[in-house]
Amino acid sequence: MRVAVISDTHGNLYALDAVLADIDATGPFDEVIMAGDFAFGGPFPAECVERIRERGYRAVRGNTDEFIVEVATDGARPAGATEAQRHGPAQIEIDRWVVERLTAEQVEYLAGLPLSLTVPDERGEALTVVHATPWSSHDVLAPDAPEEAVARVLDAAGTAAVGYGHIHVQYQRRLDGRLIAAVGTVGLPFDGDQRAGYAVFTSGVDGWSVEFRRVAYDVNAAIEATLRSGVPNAEGVAAILRTARPANR
């Protein structure tokens, strides 16, 4: 069983198309799953949503997807965030910009995505895919999280392996024979490597393992498209693309 998990495209169509080409070249896969954060921040929000829909990949919702739906529905479908996790005024401007470019059908698609998906292997040892945790698309599980936090995620998933996005870096660790791995980000890396990232989970006789993949793409074209797009905070997004580091680092 081979499962490719992509996440956090953030409106970067150049990166997404490069990753999809790599998936086509390195397949076949039993499944490809999108782990959320389709549209926020980059110049091609609708196109990134549509690429996934066109391919029929299953997906879970990310935190920014929830905020986009909240804005699109005037709060009728609120994001499940704590007060500290909520988007501020500058981020809400981006949410509104994205909503103006999505169709009603695309908003409804994002609104209908689940928090988690499960992929069972031939032995019944399943992989769970979430954006952040099985109970929230907003909570953060950092690479250096204490064992208790990792155990809570694995226990809540109830499976042999968990793959997630949200933190924009790649890492893996094991606890009590179970695997947890952050798959990285297609569109907005935070680890100093400009290349798009995703992960391939493989189930074998020794259980689940993960391979992290990085794919080169035309970063300069993505930067130029961002600066031309009119998306709020275009300069900030361009700076992250240039450095592959989050703001203020």
Side-chain angles (χ1 to χ4, degrees):
M1 167 85 56
R2 294 179 77 219
V3 180
V5 180
I6 64 178
S7 190
D8 295 273
T9 51
H10 285 283
N12 185 343
L13 189 64
Y14 290 96
L16 177 55
D17 281 344
V19 163
L20 294 178
D22 193 70
I23 285 172
D24 291 342
T26 58
F29 293 97
D30 294 282
E31 188 160 11
V32 180
I33 294 177
M34 167 59 172
D37 278 10
F38 290 71
F40 179 88
F44 302 106
E47 292 85 347
C48 284
V49 173
E50 212 53 34
R51 283 288 194 278
I52 304 303
R53 295 181 70 207
E54 288 167 354
R55 288 187 171 232
Y57 294 158
R58 290 201 295 165
V60 298
R61 68 182 184 268
N63 61 310
T64 63
D65 303 323
E66 288 193 10
F67 287 126
I68 287 165
V69 169
E70 180 178 80
V71 168
T73 62
D74 291 324
R77 294 182 176 180
T82 67
E83 194 59 35
Q85 293 166 337
R86 294 199 60 77
H87 274 183
Q91 294 166 310
I92 292 172
E93 280 189 39
I94 301 173
D95 295 329
R96 289 176 177 144
W97 185 90
V98 171
V99 167
E100 289 172 358
R101 283 151 182 82
L102 297 183
T103 66
E105 185 179 1
Q106 289 170 332
V107 170
E108 189 61 31
Y109 166 77
L110 295 178
L113 294 175
L115 268 177
S116 68
L117 289 170
T118 302
V119 184
D121 69 4
E122 298 85 349
R123 297 164 305 144
E125 294 189 359
L127 165 72
T128 294
V129 177
V130 297
H131 180 68
T133 71
W135 59 85
S136 169
S137 68
H138 301 266
D139 289 352
V140 174
L141 186 74
D144 60 352
E147 282 194 356
E148 307 84 72
V150 176
R152 184 186 176 205
V153 171
L154 289 165
D155 291 346
T159 52
V162 171
Y164 71 103
H166 193 42
I167 62 174
H168 293 225
V169 298
Q170 294 175 321
Y171 86 98
Q172 63 173 306
R173 63 195 286 188
R174 292 185 181 272
L175 183 66
D176 300 328
R178 298 173 291 178
L179 170 69
I180 190 165
V183 304
T185 170
V186 171
L188 210 58
F190 285 178
D191 60 0
D193 184 340
Q194 289 181 316
R195 294 175 298 170
Y198 73 103
V200 176
F201 292 84
T202 303
S203 175
V205 293
D206 295 323
W208 287 94
S209 61
V210 64
E211 172 198 0
F212 297 124
R213 296 192 60 81
R214 300 305 284 257
V215 183
Y217 74 99
D218 193 340
V219 177
N220 288 332
I223 290 171
E224 291 169 6
T226 300
L227 294 174
R228 291 195 307 266
S229 68
V231 60
N233 193 37
E235 288 285 354
V237 175
I240 295 172
L241 291 171
R242 289 189 193 99
T243 63
R245 297 287 184 191
N248 304 317
R249 285 196 200 171

